[in-house]
Amino acid sequence: MIGRLARSLRLVVITDRALAEPRGLLDVVRLALAAGAPCVQLRNKGEPARELLAIGRDIRALVREAGALLVVNDRLDVALALEADGVHVGPDDLPVSAVRTAVPPGFVVGRSADEPEVARRAVDDGADYIGCGTVYPTSTKRDAGSAIGLQGLRRVVEAVDVPVVGIGGITVERASDVATTGAVGVAVVGAVMASAAPAEAVRGLLSPFQAA
Amino acid sequence: MIGRLARSLRLVVITDRALAEPRGLLDVVRLALAAGAPCVQLRNKGEPARELLAIGRDIRALVREAGALLVVNDRLDVALALEADGVHVGPDDLPVSAVRTAVPPGFVVGRSADEPEVARRAVDDGADYIGCGTVYPTSTKRDAGSAIGLQGLRRVVEAVDVPVVGIGGITVERASDVATTGAVGVAVVGAVMASAAPAEAVRGLLSPFQAA
């Protein structure tokens, strides 16, 4: 039996307006949710807060209707304004400890970490889950550094007792390998956003992580 | 007699790390506060939240010690994490109404507006003050559009009953002209940050706005 958060983190669909083209971002998100995606992360780097809020409101409506989780990347203020379920922060964003002091109880805080020590510190500071990667080399995140592979992911999984999600270059084909590490799920950008068949991709990515 | 907020808004010193060089930003802020600057706005566009928070903590300490006001530009989340006194938002940032719902009572919310209608709407949504400009053409804000002049500023002052601060190309020489419009003060970037004598600049900028 796994917890509620871990169940939501079996698949995190990260938004990317450009990769979704020529389809609208909302259309791809709608397909993903209908296929069972349990979590959407709103991420549109460099977009002004107001635009992020505008698209975020539409996405929130879809996510709520589907009973899924909505997490916002980096911009805690947008997350709060949206009444999202959580925020995901990386090394350049607000520290987890600062985020914790500014959010209501129950608000989900995720932190990126590709090393056990960083992950442990994040959990000590109050992170509810860890996004771990880059697992495989990827083109959608240029500054991702070198890939840590399944072994690197496993090391982080073993270092913390909160859910860990693998991220970076994960495809339907690779998802079952990722599941062998003990990660509760995967976070993907291109594998859903750029997919010609987003619903099929969602089902394929979820299948190794179906909870008992 | 003017209110406490209006008194703090007689001069808003907006930070700019590049313009402060070769001096450190903190050194210039320290000089400005010592000379009586009543408000500092932390603005470093494009800087990651974590860096903004780091420099913000140092600035907060200086501002608190001086009994001045600290406002953060755009990033409400950084403002909350810093326990700053307020946030200043522009047209691309979070709407004032969204900010209002996410902040504690007494938190100061400023909004940029160069037209009476925009200013009125911002006040209706809960803005505590208006930053109005660009008053004079300026090089420190490239996307500032065309200057509205003293007449444009006066129109906004007359349209709302919250304090209005003039911004854009304001120098020591121009400050007394700005004061004739009914603006409670001025907000400046270059006039203090790039000044060879920041303390003198602060005193000069403040002098037309000395409150009874």
Side-chain angles (χ1 to χ4, degrees):
Chain A
M1 209 188 96
I2 61 171
R4 186 164 167 255
L5 178 60
R7 203 152 43 230
S8 298
L9 295 172
R10 286 173 296 141
L11 173 60
V12 180
V13 174
I14 300 174
T15 63
D16 189 306
R17 216 192 275 265
L19 286 179
E21 283 176 2
R23 303 158 301 186
L25 177 55
L26 288 179
D27 294 326
V28 177
V29 169
R30 197 178 286 115
L31 290 170
L33 289 166
C39 181
V40 173
Q41 183 190 120
L42 176 64
R43 176 167 90 177
N44 285 289
K45 291 268 179 195
E47 219 161 339
R50 182 171 289 240
E51 278 175 43
L52 209 51
L53 185 68
I55 187 79
R57 280 179 172 148
D58 290 337
I59 289 177
R60 180 187 57 184
L62 297 176
V63 167
R64 287 272 186 283
E65 204 187 312
L69 207 71
L70 178 63
V71 167
V72 176
N73 188 273
D74 174 23
R75 296 280 316 221
L76 171 62
D77 47 1
V78 175
L80 291 172
L82 277 177
E83 298 180 32
D85 303 293
V87 71
H88 186 93
V89 290
D92 288 341
D93 306 332
L94 287 177
V96 170
S97 51
V99 171
R100 261 294 160 234
T101 64
V103 301
F107 196 84
V108 175
V109 180
R111 174 64 156 87
S112 303
D114 59 2
E115 286 177 12
E117 198 34 60
V118 177
R120 267 192 294 260
R121 214 175 314 131
V123 173
D124 284 349
D125 287 346
D128 297 304
Y129 75 91
I130 299 293
C132 179
T134 306
V135 178
Y136 300 98
T138 165
S139 59
T140 63
K141 206 174 172 205
R142 269 182 248 164
D143 61 347
S146 46
I148 59 168
L150 293 174
Q151 212 172 345
L153 174 58
R154 191 177 290 114
R155 271 196 292 268
V156 169
V157 169
E158 287 164 1
V160 295
D161 51 12
V162 300
V164 174
V165 174
I167 182 169
I170 295 170
T171 58
V172 172
E173 294 69 31
R174 286 163 168 168
S176 36
D177 288 340
V178 175
T180 65
T181 64
V184 301
V186 294
V188 297
V189 188
V192 171
M193 285 296 130
S195 171
E200 226 169 285
V202 164
R203 283 188 289 264
L205 289 160
L206 272 175
S207 72
F209 299 101
Q210 289 307 344
Chain B
M1 210 189 92
I2 61 171
R4 186 163 168 256
L5 178 61
R7 201 150 47 230
S8 298
L9 295 173
R10 286 173 297 140
L11 174 59
V12 180
V13 174
I14 300 174
T15 65
D16 189 306
R17 216 194 275 267
L19 286 179
E21 283 178 4
R23 305 159 298 186
L25 177 55
L26 288 179
D27 294 327
V28 178
V29 169
R30 197 179 286 113
L31 290 170
L33 288 166
C39 182
V40 173
Q41 183 189 120
L42 176 63
R43 175 166 91 177
N44 285 289
K45 289 270 180 197
E47 220 162 337
R50 183 171 290 239
E51 278 175 45
L52 208 52
L53 184 68
I55 187 79
R57 279 178 172 148
D58 291 337
I59 289 177
R60 181 187 56 185
L62 297 176
V63 168
R64 286 272 186 282
E65 204 186 312
L69 206 71
L70 177 62
V71 167
V72 177
N73 188 273
D74 174 22
R75 297 280 316 221
L76 170 63
D77 46 2
V78 174
L80 291 173
L82 276 176
E83 297 179 33
D85 302 293
V87 71
H88 186 93
V89 291
D92 287 341
D93 306 333
L94 286 177
V96 170
S97 52
V99 171
R100 261 296 159 229
T101 65
V103 301
F107 196 84
V108 175
V109 180
R111 173 62 155 90
S112 303
D114 58 2
E115 286 177 14
E117 196 36 57
V118 176
R120 266 193 294 259
R121 213 175 315 131
V123 174
D124 285 347
D125 288 346
D128 296 306
Y129 75 89
I130 298 294
C132 179
T134 305
V135 177
Y136 300 99
T138 166
S139 59
T140 63
K141 206 173 173 206
R142 269 182 248 165
D143 61 348
S146 46
I148 58 168
L150 294 175
Q151 210 173 345
L153 174 58
R154 191 176 290 114
R155 270 197 292 267
V156 170
V157 168
E158 287 166 0
V160 295
D161 51 13
V162 300
V164 174
V165 175
I167 183 170
I170 295 171
T171 58
V172 172
E173 293 70 30
R174 287 164 168 167
S176 36
D177 288 340
V178 174
T180 65
T181 64
V184 300
V186 294
V188 298
V189 188
V192 171
M193 285 296 130
S195 170
E200 226 169 286
V202 164
R203 283 189 288 265
L205 289 162
L206 271 174
S207 71
F209 300 101
Q210 290 307 345

